[in-house]
Amino acid sequence: MDTPEADCDPLAEPELTPLIASAATQHQLEPKLLKGVIDQESSGRPCAVSPKGARGLMQLMPATIEQFKVGDAFDPRQNVEAGATFLKQLLDKYKGDVKLALAAYNAGPGTVDQTGAIPDIKETRDYVDAIMQKLK
């Protein structure tokens, strides 16, 4: 997966780690899972914007930004909070299946629901595999 163009430096670990820890605790998520998504989505760059319009550390799409009433998608705390909320919803929806939740985070829940599995999209398969490797 191509890393989005970003003209800012990655957030330093001392700044990023407490944001991840707080969101992980609040949403009962594994901190390594959130960190993996952030690394894969934005390489830790809070100003990242994808060609499809996803924004910030967890690459929130405009509909997700609106759904979770994110005031500033480039604010690391707001972005990680909304991304963690969305990821938790996906984990609940897919009964704790991390691979399906990650596939839905990447390709959208509708795409995963159509197939009932990780969709046969190279970007999505690579995305899920890369994050799962980081969880080992």
Side-chain angles (χ1 to χ4, degrees), residues 51-129:
K52 295 179 182 174
R55 291 172 159 57
L57 288 169
M58 293 193 71
Q59 289 292 277
L60 304 177
M61 291 298 287
T64 307
I65 291 167
E66 190 175 316
Q67 177 184 355
F68 295 111
K69 298 177 178 31
V70 177
D72 179 0
F74 298 111
D75 175 80
R77 182 173 304 284
Q78 290 181 49
N79 190 285
V80 172
E81 173 58 33
T85 302
F86 184 45
L87 191 56
K88 177 62 173 170
Q89 285 181 354
L90 293 172
L91 282 163
D92 289 346
K93 175 182 174 83
Y94 298 109
K95 298 175 177 38
D97 187 320
V98 175
K99 289 182 180 181
L100 282 183
L102 288 171
Y105 195 95
N106 178 261
T111 306
V112 172
D113 292 347
Q114 285 174 353
T115 61
I118 297 172
D120 193 20
I121 301 169
K122 182 179 179 356
E123 175 191 329
T124 301
R125 290 189 174 281
D126 290 349
Y127 176 88
V128 171
D129 289 345

Side-chain angles (χ1 to χ4, degrees), residues 18-80:
L19 294 177
I20 291 171
S22 174
T25 299
Q26 185 175 346
H27 297 286
Q28 299 172 320
L29 294 169
E30 189 64 44
K32 283 187 351 185
L33 178 60
L34 281 180
K35 176 79 165 91
V37 170
I38 290 168
D39 287 348
Q40 198 65 26
E41 289 286 353
S42 66
S43 299
R45 290 177 168 80
C47 69
V49 179
S50 79
K52 295 179 182 174
R55 291 172 159 57
L57 288 169
M58 293 193 71
Q59 289 292 277
L60 304 177
M61 291 298 287
T64 307
I65 291 167
E66 190 175 316
Q67 177 184 355
F68 295 111
K69 298 177 178 31
V70 177
D72 179 0
F74 298 111
D75 175 80
R77 182 173 304 284
Q78 290 181 49
N79 190 285
V80 172

